[in-house]
Amino acid sequence: QQQVKQSPQSLIVQKGGISIINCAYENTAFDYFPWYQQFPGKGPALLIAIRPDVSEKKEGRFTISFNKSAKQFSLHIMDSQPGDSATYFCAASKQTGANNLFFGTGTRLTVIP
Amino acid sequence: NAGVTQTPKFQVLKTGQSMTLQCAQDMNHNSMYWYRQDPGMGLRLIYYSASEGTTDKGEVPNGYNVSRLNKREFSLRLESAAPSQTSVYFCASSERLGNIQYFGAGTRLSVL
C-alpha cells in the first residue's frame, strides 16, 4: 500500500509558468514532509521540507503548501525554468520512533523553453 | 567533499549470481539506508541501519542482506540475483533517523 500518493506522473510546463505537484497521505502520525529533486543519473537531493505546524513554506521560487485537515501537501514552482526539469519526489515520515521515509512515486517535470 | 559514495556505478549480472553493492559516507552520520528505485514505484526502502551495529528491514527486504561494516560503510548483498532485482539502487545517510537524508549517485543493476 502506497503510504504517499503523488500526482501527476509527468508534467510539461512552459518557461515562466507555474508547476504544481500534489501529494496525499493517510498516516496522521506523519510530521515531516520533504520534497526531493532528482536530475537524470543523480541521486535525489533535498529541495525543501515542511512540518505540519505551518501551512506554507517558501524558499525562493519553491513553495510547499500544507493542508493538515485534508492530509495533502503540494509543491509549487513559480517562474519555472528549463533547469528545473527533473523528477520530484514528495515524502513523509514520523520524526520520532521508527521513522522510515516514505516516498511518493515521483513526477517528471519538463519545462519547455 | 564526497558525501555518499556508491560502487559500482553499473553492473550486469546473470540470474543466480551474487554481488555486493558498496556504500560509504564521510559525513560522520549515524544512520544509513538502502533504497531501490523502479519506474512508477518511487523509492522503496530495502534495509536501514539506525546506528553502527544495528540493521532493520524496510519495505522490500526479501532477497537482500546488509552489513553495517563500521560507521562509514553499509553494504547491500544479493546472494542469488533475480531479474526482478533489476533496478537502480541508492544508498543514503543521515545524522540520525528522521534527519535529512543525503543520497549517493546510485548503482544501476541489470540481472539477465
Side-chain angles (χ1 to χ4, degrees), chain B residues 19-95:
Chain B
M19 80 159 294
T20 300
L21 281 63
Q22 306 287 352
C23 175
Q25 52 90 10
D26 62 2
M27 296 175 281
N28 200 36
H29 285 168
N30 291 297
S31 302
M32 298 185 73
Y33 315 80
W34 277 106
Y35 292 89
R36 60 178 289 172
Q37 183 177 25
D38 302 291
M41 302 290 288
L43 289 129
R44 293 180 293 169
L45 184 65
I46 304 171
Y47 271 94
Y48 68 100
S49 170
S51 60
E52 185 179 357
T54 70
T55 61
D56 285 285
K57 295 179 180 179
E59 185 183 355
V60 289
N62 292 344
Y64 305 95
N65 286 301
V66 290
S67 296
R68 183 73 183 269
L69 304 171
N70 47 56
K71 191 172 185 179
R72 289 186 65 248
E73 299 173 288
F74 189 36
S75 63
L76 178 72
R77 182 160 178 84
L78 287 70
E79 291 290 352
S80 179
S84 61
Q85 294 178 306
T86 293
S87 188
V88 181
Y89 291 86
F90 287 99
C91 177
S93 72
S94 64
E95 187 173 344

Side-chain angles (χ1 to χ4, degrees), chain A residues 52-111:
Chain A
D53 52 344
V54 296
S55 60
E56 186 175 282
K57 183 174 182 179
K58 184 176 181 179
E59 290 185 2
R61 297 183 294 108
F62 299 89
T63 300
I64 300 178
S65 297
F66 184 80
N67 186 330
K68 188 173 182 178
S69 61
K71 292 184 288 185
Q72 295 176 348
F73 58 111
S74 60
L75 176 69
H76 292 63
I77 306 174
M78 311 301 289
D79 186 26
S80 298
Q81 300 296 312
D84 297 331
S85 297
T87 299
Y88 293 81
F89 293 95
C90 61
S93 75
K94 295 182 290 185
Q95 287 277 281
T96 57
N99 42 18
N100 296 339
L101 195 59
F102 294 95
F103 284 87
T105 51
T107 297
R108 178 173 290 183
L109 171 66
T110 302
V111 181

